[in-house]
Every structure is written in C-alpha cells, then in structure tokens.
Amino acid sequence: MLKLEGISKSYGKSKVKAVNDVNLEVKSGEIFGFLGPNGAGKTTTIKMIVGLLKPDEGKVFVDGVNVWEEPLKSKEKISYVPDNPEIYDRLKGIEYLNFIADMYGIEKDKRKEKIEYYSKLFNIENALWDIISSYSHGMKQKLVLTSALLNDPQLFILDEPMVGLDPKSSFNLKEIMRHMCDQGKTVFFSTHVMEVAEKLCDRIAIINNGRIIALGTMEELRSSAKEKESLENIFLELTEDE
Amino acid sequence: MNKTISLIKTELNITFGLTALKHSFKQKKNRWTVVLISIALLSLIPSYFMLVKGLGGLYDGFRQIGQQSYFLMLGFLVSQMAVLVFGLLYVMSKFYFSNDIVHLVPLPIKPSQIVGSKFASLMVSEYITSLPLILPFVIIYGTKGYMGFSYWLYSFIAVLTLPLVPLVIASILIMAFMKYTNIRGKKDLIRTISAIMFIIFVVYFQLMINRITARGIADGENFLFNLARDANLLVNTFGRMWPPGMWGTFALVNHTSISGLINLVLFIGVGVLGLMLMIYLSERIFFDGLIGNTDQSSSKGKEHNKDSSKSINVNKPYIALAKKELIMLFKTPIYLMNSIGGVIIVPIIMAMSLFTGGEDMAPLRAIISQSKNYVVLGGIGFIAVMGILNSIGVTTFSREGNNFWIQRIIPITPRDQIIGRVLASLAVQLLAAVFIVGSIFFIASISVFDVLLIVLIGIFASIPMTMMGMTIDILRPMRNWTNPQQAMKQNLNVLIGLAVGALYVGGIGYLVYKVISRLSIGIIYGGLIGVLLLTSIVLYMILDKLIFTQFQELE
Ligand SMILES: Nc1ncnc2c1ncn2[C@@H]1O[C@H](COP(=O)(O)OP(=O)(O)OP(=O)(O)O)[C@@H](O)[C@H]1O
Ligand SMILES: [Mg+2]
C-alpha cells in the first residue's frame, strides 16, 4: 500500500540529512507505528508521503501510484492529520467539513452520515456551528480527524495523533484505526506513546537521526534486542547514543 | 511615577516614534490605508483652503452684527466636538483593542498607569484633529482684531489644553460602555462599525461643504452675513450646553481683564480635575471591560437549531473554494476593509473629488463631457485597476498562511484552484462595478447600454488582472505570518501586482488612446476583448503549470 524507496531530505542548504535513505513497505490492512526521538525525522518523512515536502532523492508510492508524479491520484487515497491542526479559523466547523468533503467529491448522503457519526463520536457535534477560532486545541484536532475520515481513506496518516486528545477520544481513535484495518485499509502514524504503539501496531519502525534503525513486529524487535520486556526498554536501548 | 513615565515614553514611541516610523516604512505597512487616507486627505485639501478663506469672511460677518466672540466660540465648539467624536474611536481602539494590552495587563502596573500612558499618547493624536480646526479661528480672530501679546499667550495655552475635556469625557464614556454592555466577543463588529463611521464622517463633511458653497453662490453678497446670523443663533444655543467652549472663548476674548484669567483657569482646571477623576475611575472599571485575547464567542453546549441536512450542501470544488475564499474575506476585518471596503470607498471618493474638486478638476470634467466613449472606456479601466487593487488575487495564496498545507493535501486540480480563486475575486469585482457605475452616474449621464458595456467588459478585464496577481503570489507566497494584516498590508506582492497591473492597464489604455480617432468604437471594444482574452489564456496556462510545481516545491 505504501512504499518508500530510498527517500532522503535535507532542509534548506544544510548538509545534514533530516531523513536519510529510508526504505519502508507497509501492506494493506496494517497499522504501522513510526517511533523515534525528537528531531529524528518522523514529521519530515510523513510530509514527504503526503505531498508537503519533496524528497531530494527517492520515490514514494501509494497503492502503486507515485506520489510526486501523479499527486492528484494519490491524494484521493490518502488522509493526513498533522501534528499541529492549523485550519481556517474564520470558518465554522461545519463549513470546514463541507469544504473538505467538496474537495473529495463526497456525495451528500454519505457526507451527512459521516459528519454526524464522527462528530458525535468525538463529542464536537454541538460545536460544529461555532467558528473554529473559538475551539480548543483538542477540538480543532478532532475536527481535523473528522474531516480526514470523511473520504474513507485507503491510507490514513497521522502525526502524533494522541497528543492533546482526552482519554475517551484517544480510545475512540484507536478503535477507528483498528476498524479501518479490519476493512483492509492502512494506518501509518507516528507517536511517542510506547504503550499505544505496542498494543496497537502490527509493525513498528524506529527512526533515529534520519535512519531506520529497527523495523518489524513486536516479536521481531524483541528478539533482536538485549532488553526484552517492553517496547520502552527496546526503544531506549536502540536510540541511545553510542 | 517612574513606571508611568516609562510607559508614556514607550507608548509615544510606539505610536509616533522614529522606530515605528522606520519600521512601518520598511515593512511597506498600511499601504492601503495610506493610499486611501491620502486620497481622502487630498480631496479634502482644496475644501479646507476654501473653508479657511471662507472663515475670514465669516469673521467679518460676525463683526457686522457685533458678535465676534461667537466666532471664537464656534471654533471651540467645532474643535472640541471633533475631538470628542474621534476620541470615542481612538479610546476604544487604544484602551481595549490595541495589541499591547495583553502584554501590559499581566505586568505589575496599575490600570491607572496603563490608562494614563495611553491617554497621554491620545492627547498627542488628538492635536492632529484639533489644531487644523481651532488654529484658523484663533489666528483669524487674533490678526483681524489686532490682538496683543497676552491674547497669543492665552491662545497658546487654550489650544494646547483644548482636547483635554472632550477626551476625558470620551474615555469615561467608553470605559463605562465597555464595563456595562456585553459587547465582548464582538471586536470585529466594533472595528467595522468604527470604520464605517469614519467614512460617513468624511462623506458628510464633503457634502456639508458642498451645500455651503452652493448656498454661497445662491446668496451672493449677503451670504456671509446670513451665515454669521445663522451661526450666531447656533453658537448661542450650543454654547450654553457646552461650558468648556464658553470658558475658552471668554478666556481669549477678555484676555486683558481678570475675567479672562478666571475663565482660563476654569478651562484648564476642569480639564485637569476631569483627568484625575477619569484616572481614579479607571482604577475601578478599566479591567472589567477588557476583552480577552480570544475574541470569539462560542455557544458551548447550547442547543442549536441544527438541521444538518440544511447545512450540508454539495458543491463543485471550485465553487467550494470560491465560497471559502469569500467567507474568509468577509470574516477577517483586515481583508474586509482592504478588499471589499476598498472597492466601495475608492470609487466614491474619486467621484466626489471629481464632483466637488473645484477648478483643478475642470480639464478632466471637460474630457468626460466631450465623449461618452471616454467615460465607458474609463469605467472599464477603473474596474480593471480595482481588479488588482482589491488585492484578492495577489494575496490569495499568501492569505492561506499556516493553512496552506490543506490546499496541498486535498486532491484539487490546478484548474479548480484557478477558477475558484478567480471567481472569488470576480464576486468582489461585481461590487466594485456597481459602485463605479454608481459613481459615474454622479459625473456623467450614461445609457443602459453603456452600463452593460462597462460592467461586462470591466468584469471580464478583472479575470486577467486577478490571474496576474495570482501568478505573482504563487511565485513568492508569504506564508509565515501571524497576523492577517501582514498577509495583505505588509505583503510586497501587493506592490508588485500594483506596478504590473498599472503597466498593463496603462499600456492598453495608451494603445486605445492612439487608435481611438482612427478606428470605429466597435472595433476598439472587439480588440480590447481580444487582448484580454489572449492575456487570460496565456496567464491560465502559466498558472496551471506554476500551481502544480509550486505546490510541490514549497517547503
Ligand atoms: N522547517 C525546518 N527547517 C529546517 N530544519 C528542520 C525543519 N523541520 C525539521 N527540521 C530538522 O529536521 C530534523 C527532523 O525533524 P522532524 O520534524 O522530522 O522530527 P520529528 O521526528 O518529527 O520530531 P518530533 O518528535 O519532535 O516531532 C530535525 O533535526 C529538525 O531540526
Ligand atoms: Mg514531529
């Protein structure tokens, strides 16, 4: 479903590669966790997948479509939830959802059903008629989540989705992710919460200094590490500097 | 006390200081405001000189009926009223809406110190209003009446303290208003209302001058005498209701006797006492009226009349984009003022200065009356210029700012991007066309067919103008702004767009001028449409490519 072929990126004129020759393949029906310390290159990688940051080298394929050659085709399959939900704050929530739905050409009935379902699930249905600038950080995030789910994405990409969500909403989000995978969709997300990754993900990649340093299922990661108990220990061991 | 002085210094520096001046110069800040205000002021200057000339005559009129003192009182009344009216607006924006309030409030300073420092800088601002009004009165009275040194000394003091009382009243009124009314959360509304009030004031002033001049022509020799007689009555009535004006007047009129001194002391003393009262009150009520940083009201938990099937509507991507653009334009005050306010005000001011501008405008009026074709072509050109001056196309990508990522992840074609954004600009241009045609009605008579020509070709010409702006903006969008003001007022793209647009319209205008006597007007319109169409197609092709690549390349 998602395939990264040797992508690299350095910002501006800097010689340091924020992401360095990353190769990954995520299959349909998988929940894939992307871990790494601050500044490791998670957000950079994700931006290269969703079309926000052009790789210096390498290719990105979504369902066989080259993201950077046929952007429209790939964007129709993807939904992206950024780490920082900056959205049109002069619109009302409902206006924003309508706007996004128009962009994906979603029919009226389906649109209505999805908006009602997800806004209720995330408990923002009463705020939809308010202007977005009156939303709290978490409410904005939930609105972005709702908008990202409207088009039934084949590939759902989230950058630190649990940050700022209340317990119930993050529980619901995890349920949604599981449900999507059951339907054969793919979820790719970055996180700093080890338990979430451990419990939720089919496979995990750990990135450090722009390079993938570990990749596989929990079992595979365990077998390759000295510290075996928890993902947290494995993570700390692997990302320790020398 | 030290704190207050330091606050005042900072406040003055922020408002008038060299640093701020340099900064706003470098930042190309407030370009639109500067353009508008200078047009407004330029249109007022001839009227102002006429007014001052007329005042000399008015003085003579008052002297004929032996009431020179009322001439001075008129001056005090007019100036202090103007200070009061502007004071209300200034106080509202300085005390409650200025950006530094959020930083000042948490500091260990008293409300009275904040209010005091802001009041000081307002006093200075108010001189800009009061001096042009009171000085002609005082100078005319002084020179025509051959007054001595003490008159000028008293005038100097009185003129300096003149804004004190009205400004104190304005401050108290606004502070009470903010405390006791629930307009918190309607900041945008208040801003818009203030701006509209200012425009109405300018328009009203113009009309008043027109009426007086018209009467002057009708009444001939007796005009000034009649005017003085009417004004005398007016001053008499209002003067009683506004003692400070009376004190100021009698201080100057009786400057040689003890009564003058008493009146002067009253004039200043009441102002100072009022100031102290205001500062005292501010300690109690200033903070209560402060509006929080977030200025939007939300209706938490309130039940909505939310029939979701009504609010869910399906649109084509370009329509949805145009709608989103328009909502953002209308709901962001800065954009509303600049883009939409601009296309309304500029035509009105242009028409009014043409209409009332005196002899300077005579040649232009001659051209207008000479040929209707010039009027129609001029109207089209005017709409076209507004197409770039409205800044919608030239800031369309910049305005996305932090939200730019949304445009880049949604599956929207460059074609829909172009159509949607052009449509948003055309919607505003339609408004421009209405006001431009309306203004033309003021200065020339045109037929329905001419109106159609102006509107249709003008709107059509707005397409390449908008696309020109979009081309500039997509090449160098200004995306990392924190305040929408930066996206529109401090955006160099607007200036570049203005230059390019002016060249384009000027170039076509020059061509038309060259051939207008040789070709039939039908051919000229045809050619014009052809050129506009060609430009649009070329720009469309460029934009189609540019949007695709820039959406990928930008970081
Ligand atoms: N806009 C930028 N300009 C320059 N360098 C950047 C920019 N964004 C990120 N970087 C650099 O790229 C590297 C990777 O950053 P990235 O944002 O991908 O990290 P991350 O793994 O998402 O970290 P975090 O867990 O803190 O979100 C860092 O070294 C960072 O300094
Ligand atoms: Mg990140």
Side-chain angles (χ1 to χ4, degrees):
Chain A
M1 186 68 211
L2 171 66
K3 197 166 157 202
L4 310 182
E5 280 185 9
I7 54 169
S8 298
K9 178 76 195 178
S10 47
Y11 283 98
K13 295 197 174 67
S14 136
K15 290 244 165 61
V16 187
K17 288 183 174 171
V19 168
N20 195 349
D21 191 27
V22 164
N23 290 284
L24 265 187
E25 191 162 357
V26 184
K27 292 186 276 300
S28 293
E30 244 184 350
I31 302 189
F32 194 92
F34 200 40
L35 314 185
N38 293 132
K42 299 181 295 298
T43 301
T44 309
T45 307
I46 287 178
K47 282 188 171 168
M48 288 192 280
I49 300 172
V50 298
L52 288 176
L53 206 56
K54 194 166 189 175
D56 298 336
E57 290 157 46
K59 289 178 183 156
V60 182
F61 293 96
V62 170
D63 202 13
V65 179
N66 186 324
V67 170
W68 290 92
E69 272 165 17
E70 293 179 276
L72 279 187
K73 235 171 145 185
S74 70
K75 281 173 190 172
E76 269 166 7
K77 301 171 194 279
I78 307 180
S79 267
Y80 162 61
V81 179
D83 49 354
N84 187 12
E86 297 270 9
I87 48 178
Y88 300 118
D89 63 354
R90 302 275 163 172
L91 300 188
K92 291 177 183 154
I94 187 75
E95 289 170 338
Y96 179 71
L97 293 179
N98 258 315
F99 172 76
I100 295 293
D102 283 334
M103 294 302 143
Y104 288 93
I106 298 164
E107 298 152 28
K108 183 160 181 170
D109 291 339
K110 194 179 157 207
R111 185 183 296 200
K112 183 165 181 264
E113 175 205 317
K114 298 255 170 195
I115 291 178
E116 276 170 9
Y117 178 76
Y118 287 115
S119 62
K120 188 159 264 154
L121 191 70
F122 289 125
N123 197 22
I124 50 168
E125 79 264 38
N126 283 327
L128 286 186
W129 278 261
D130 288 335
I131 190 158
I132 294 175
S133 59
S134 73
Y135 284 23
S136 74
H137 182 88
M139 287 161 76
K140 274 187 208 164
Q141 209 173 341
K142 292 185 207 174
L143 189 71
V144 177
L145 276 169
T146 306
S147 74
L149 288 162
L150 293 179
N151 67 325
D152 245 338
Q154 309 266 358
L155 173 60
F156 195 27
I157 298 178
L158 307 97
D159 199 354
E160 296 183 33
M162 307 299 169
V163 177
L165 287 186
D166 56 44
K168 182 159 172 265
S169 304
S170 74
F171 173 80
N172 283 333
L173 178 60
K174 283 182 261 177
E175 287 297 297
I176 292 170
M177 289 175 167
R178 276 212 188 89
H179 187 67
M180 288 176 77
C181 291
D182 294 343
Q183 294 178 318
K185 311 267 166 62
T186 311
V187 178
F188 181 101
F189 72 103
S190 77
T191 187
H192 288 300
V193 189
M194 293 300 142
E195 292 131 46
V196 172
E198 195 167 355
K199 289 205 188 107
L200 200 62
C201 295
D202 299 313
R203 286 199 304 148
I204 288 167
I206 298 178
I207 186 172
N208 197 12
N209 297 325
R211 285 181 182 278
I212 304 275
I213 53 168
L215 171 70
T217 61
M218 263 314 288
E219 301 311 314
E220 290 165 350
L221 291 186
R222 275 209 184 93
S223 61
S224 68
K226 278 175 261 155
E227 301 270 2
K228 310 249 181 224
E229 309 92 89
S230 69
L231 183 58
E232 186 172 11
N233 294 31
I234 300 172
F235 181 87
L236 292 176
E237 180 195 322
L238 288 175
T239 55
E240 197 168 325
D241 285 328
E242 260 71 271
Chain B
M1 206 56 209
N2 274 335
K3 282 183 189 168
T4 316
I5 288 170
S6 146
L7 269 175
I8 293 179
K9 263 197 212 150
T10 326
E11 191 61 50
L12 286 175
N13 192 18
I14 291 170
T15 324
F16 309 98
L18 271 179
T19 10
L21 209 68
K22 261 191 227 149
H23 185 69
S24 67
F25 228 82
K26 268 198 199 123
Q27 295 282 310
K28 318 270 187 304
K29 202 176 159 188
N30 302 343
R31 195 167 310 118
W32 250 103
T33 328
V34 170
V35 171
L36 273 182
I37 292 187
S38 27
I39 293 176
L41 284 183
L42 283 179
S43 78
L44 288 181
I45 283 176
S47 314
Y48 182 70
F49 277 108
M50 258 168 49
L51 196 73
V52 172
K53 238 194 274 169
L55 279 182
L58 189 65
Y59 174 83
D60 297 336
F62 271 112
R63 192 157 57 183
Q64 276 180 41
I65 52 175
Q67 303 276 25
Q68 296 99 303
S69 58
Y70 281 148
F71 176 75
L72 262 186
M73 200 187 279
L74 182 67
F76 274 99
L77 271 180
V78 168
S79 328
Q80 291 195 311
M81 284 308 126
V83 169
L84 181 66
V85 169
F86 282 103
L88 292 171
L89 296 181
Y90 288 163
V91 169
M92 180 80 96
S93 71
K94 256 269 145 77
F95 284 17
Y96 292 97
F97 291 158
S98 64
N99 293 329
D100 59 347
I101 281 289
V102 236
H103 305 299
L104 289 179
V105 169
L107 295 181
I109 38 181
K110 286 191 262 174
S112 57
Q113 288 171 321
I114 299 178
V115 166
S117 68
K118 295 205 167 274
F119 188 89
S121 100
L122 281 189
M123 273 298 279
V124 180
S125 305
E126 286 285 19
Y127 286 132
I128 300 168
T129 313
S130 69
L131 291 183
L133 291 175
I134 188 67
L135 282 183
F137 285 93
V138 169
I139 293 172
I140 289 170
Y141 187 90
T143 48
K144 289 212 171 187
Y146 305 108
M147 295 296 164
F149 173 75
S150 61
Y151 171 84
W152 295 110
L153 180 70
Y154 275 35
S155 325
F156 181 74
I157 299 170
V159 165
L160 278 189
T161 39
L162 181 142
L164 201 52
V165 173
L167 197 56
V168 162
I169 293 177
S171 306
I172 294 177
L173 281 180
I174 292 288
M175 281 196 295
F177 177 73
M178 294 302 278
K179 181 181 158 80
Y180 295 111
T181 58
N182 192 16
I183 53 154
R184 262 153 271 188
K186 300 210 174 61
K187 196 165 158 182
D188 291 355
L189 181 76
I190 295 170
R191 284 210 174 120
T192 315
I193 290 177
S194 323
I196 293 172
M197 269 172 64
F198 177 73
I199 295 160
I200 291 176
F201 181 82
V202 171
V203 171
Y204 177 76
F205 184 71
Q206 280 276 12
L207 289 180
M208 220 173 59
I209 304 272
N210 286 350
R211 199 173 318 144
I212 293 178
T213 354
R215 225 186 93 186
I217 295 162
D219 283 10
E221 304 233 303
N222 292 328
F223 164 64
L224 286 171
F225 181 75
N226 290 344
L227 194 67
R229 198 190 50 210
D230 293 356
N232 190 17
L233 203 70
L234 202 77
V235 169
N236 218 333
T237 329
F238 281 105
R240 277 182 226 286
M241 285 161 53
W242 182 250
M246 229 156 62
W247 298 327
T249 310
F250 291 130
L252 295 198
V253 172
N254 304 331
H255 59 99
T256 44
S257 71
I258 189 81
S259 140
L261 189 64
I262 293 172
N263 275 297
L264 188 68
V265 169
L266 265 175
F267 187 73
I268 301 169
V270 167
V272 173
L273 279 179
L275 179 63
M276 279 156 62
L277 174 73
M278 193 277 290
I279 295 285
Y280 170 79
L281 280 177
S282 74
E283 210 44 76
R284 250 132 261 263
I285 59 178
F286 176 62
F287 275 172
D288 297 338
L290 272 186
I291 296 170
N293 203 7
T294 49
D295 56 323
Q296 302 298 343
S297 58
S298 80
S299 46
K300 284 203 182 74
K302 243 187 266 164
E303 261 314 301
H304 283 272
N305 167 23
K306 49 178 191 303
D307 183 2
S308 49
S309 46
K310 237 188 241 162
S311 40
I312 290 178
N313 35 37
V314 180
N315 283 308
K316 289 250 170 350
Y318 55 86
I319 300 285
L321 182 61
K323 258 171 82 176
K324 175 235 130 197
E325 285 281 283
L326 285 174
I327 295 177
M328 300 284 282
L329 281 171
F330 271 92
K331 290 223 182 137
T332 314
I334 294 289
Y335 302 159
L336 184 71
M337 278 308 298
N338 281 276
S339 297
I340 293 143
V343 302
I344 295 174
I345 300 163
V346 172
I348 293 180
I349 290 179
M350 291 289 273
M352 277 189 6
S353 42
L354 261 182
F355 193 57
T356 61
E359 289 112 59
D360 320 338
M361 296 296 177
L364 212 65
R365 276 202 292 262
I367 294 176
I368 288 170
S369 56
Q370 188 188 336
S371 158
K372 237 170 41 182
N373 290 331
Y374 283 120
V375 177
V376 174
L377 286 168
I380 294 170
F382 198 175
I383 297 180
V385 169
M386 292 312 291
I388 197 90
L389 210 61
N390 72 20
S391 307
I392 294 179
V394 78
T395 61
T396 187
F397 297 107
S398 297
R399 273 181 282 122
E400 295 283 341
N402 280 334
N403 304 323
F404 205 91
W405 68 272
I406 300 173
Q407 296 295 324
R408 295 175 62 201
I409 62 148
I410 50 180
I412 180 172
T413 57
R415 170 180 157 271
D416 286 341
Q417 285 280 2
I418 301 172
I419 299 176
R421 287 169 198 275
V422 168
L423 279 182
S425 169
L426 291 192
V428 175
Q429 283 301 100
L430 206 59
L431 203 65
V434 168
F435 276 87
I436 287 170
V437 168
S439 312
I440 292 175
F441 270 123
F442 256 95
I443 43 183
S445 57
I446 45 174
S447 67
V448 178
F449 181 67
D450 295 333
V451 171
L452 273 180
L453 272 180
I454 296 176
V455 172
L456 290 181
I457 305 182
I459 296 283
F460 185 61
S462 310
I463 297 175
M465 299 307 281
T466 305
M467 292 211 279
M468 226 174 271
M470 286 171 65
T471 312
I472 294 164
D473 200 37
I474 191 61
L475 282 172
R476 43 194 308 284
M478 176 185 184
R479 286 177 305 152
N480 36 9
W481 45 263
T482 46
N483 183 335
Q485 184 151 335
Q486 294 165 294
M488 199 168 263
K489 289 189 170 175
Q490 301 173 21
N491 194 339
L492 194 60
N493 293 354
V494 176
L495 262 197
I496 300 174
L498 226 53
V500 175
L503 271 180
Y504 180 75
V505 175
I508 292 183
Y510 182 73
L511 278 181
V512 169
Y513 171 77
K514 277 283 160 194
V515 297
I516 196 159
S517 52
R518 269 173 280 162
L519 297 174
S520 86
I521 195 71
I523 295 178
I524 289 180
Y525 287 137
L528 189 59
I529 292 173
V531 170
L532 294 172
L533 187 66
L534 193 70
T535 321
S536 304
I537 293 172
V538 170
L539 282 172
Y540 178 88
M541 291 191 306
I542 295 174
L543 266 176
D544 196 48
K545 293 254 150 45
L546 270 182
I547 289 179
F548 185 85
T549 48
Q550 282 298 87
F551 269 41
Q552 291 204 335
E553 296 297 332
L554 292 168
E555 280 189 356

